[in-house]
Amino acid sequence: MPDSLSLDGRVAVVTGAGAGLGRAEAVALAAAGAAVVVNDLPGAGEEAAEEIRGLGGTAVVVAGDVGERATADAMVAAAVELGGLDIVVNNAGVTRDKMLFNMTDEEFDLVVKIHLRGHFLLSRNAASYWRAQHKETGEQVYGRIVNTASEASLSGSPGQPNYAAAKAGITALTLSSARSLGRMGVRVNAIAPRARTAMTAAVFGEDTSGKSVDPYAAEHVAPLVAYLASPAAEAINGQLFVVYGGMVALVAAPVVEQRFDTAGDVFDLAELDKTVGAYFADRDPSVGFAADSIMQLKV
């Protein structure tokens, strides 16, 4: 393996790594040479760690809820014990799908806590660790964060107001982190994977593709994560990728569709109606800010 793709000597933390996508990502990182801190809820991470060890890799388990500060502290401490912290893969998540009018406070809070707060806590701790290194040496550090967003935040899935909001927040967190940490050498990117896991079983159903590898298998996603974690991805920062089925799509930033300017000093209601209102009069009312076209993944 070329040095630019190797993770030999690196230490990675992967949350929600006990099964599904997180486990595939942890194994891919280990196969590239990284020692891995495997996080999941108590009792869920041991098999993944054993798989990594069976492949000749190094893995330790840190059990705990990613939405709790103590878990983030423990994951970073475990990485440092293995030699340092180089790579963070924020993957852990849950769903509590309901229409907005049926969703409880608890269902909203839990999803935001695990997804958005979980991403924040570990990323913040990693950023503090890398900043201390940077201040001590004055040199660029090696740091990689791969966050897990979702197309739900782009399309506005109607039965997932909690999940869509949390994932949109993760995309924004990724951009802010990439810009604030980039000067130190840290690279922060996000993936929006289409993967058949326990959490998404109801979304994708059974594999009827007839292909040798399920297009929604986590194995299609894990290589991109390992690549983004590698030295070869130095030039990639603050990006969002949709990935599945042997395809990686780079998502462009939003663009301004139309601009409206007042003829005077301040808009009044009548002028807004003649400009903004008139623009929408003959426009397809189903077209909104939601990036429905992205679901087709056409350039």
Side-chain angles (χ1 to χ4, degrees), residues 194 247 249-250 292-299:
R194 295 183 187 180
M247 180 228 64
L250 174 62
D292 296 321
S293 61
I294 284 182
M295 304 301 286
Q296 302 173 25
L297 298 174
K298 293 181 180 179
V299 178

Side-chain angles (χ1 to χ4, degrees), residues 93-136:
V94 297
T95 53
R96 294 292 186 273
D97 296 350
K98 291 277 185 66
M99 298 297 284
L100 179 61
F101 41 79
N102 286 329
M103 184 163 288
T104 66
D105 298 3
E106 293 75 19
E107 288 164 342
F108 183 87
D109 290 346
L110 175 65
V111 170
V112 171
K113 175 187 177 184
I114 301 303
H115 287 276
L116 184 53
R117 177 177 163 84
H119 273 61
F120 159 71
L121 289 173
L122 181 54
S123 296
R124 188 269 315 277
N125 283 16
S128 296
Y129 172 82
W130 290 322
R131 182 172 182 267
Q133 282 188 322
H134 177 65
K135 289 184 68 175
E136 182 178 345

Side-chain angles (χ1 to χ4, degrees), residues 43 59 87 95 104-105 130 137 151 184 188 197 235:
I87 301 157
T95 53
T104 66
D105 298 3
W130 290 322
T137 65
E151 291 169 278
M184 297 189 296
V188 189
T197 66

Side-chain angles (χ1 to χ4, degrees), residues 248-297:
V248 175
L250 174 62
V251 178
V255 298
V256 174
E257 177 181 337
Q258 184 71 25
R259 174 174 161 168
F260 309 94
D261 293 282
T262 180
D265 294 326
V266 180
F267 271 115
D268 61 25
L269 299 184
E271 187 184 15
L272 283 169
D273 188 44
K274 290 172 64 176
T275 54
V276 179
Y279 179 77
F280 281 91
D282 298 319
R283 188 174 179 271
D284 183 351
S286 68
V287 175
F289 186 71
D292 296 321
S293 61
I294 284 182
M295 304 301 286
Q296 302 173 25
L297 298 174

Side-chain angles (χ1 to χ4, degrees), residues 156-174:
S157 48
Q160 296 182 305
N162 48 4
Y163 183 76
K167 291 303 191 181
I170 287 169
T171 300
L173 176 65
T174 299

Side-chain angles (χ1 to χ4, degrees), residues 195-243:
R196 195 189 314 278
T197 66
M199 193 176 79
T200 62
V203 176
F204 297 116
E206 296 295 323
D207 177 20
T208 59
S209 68
K211 297 184 177 181
S212 59
V213 179
D214 179 357
Y216 297 114
E219 286 72 21
H220 288 295
V221 179
L224 177 61
V225 171
Y227 178 73
L228 292 173
S230 75
E234 175 71 18
I236 305 173
N237 194 36
Q239 305 298 324
L240 172 62
F241 299 92
V242 177
V243 53

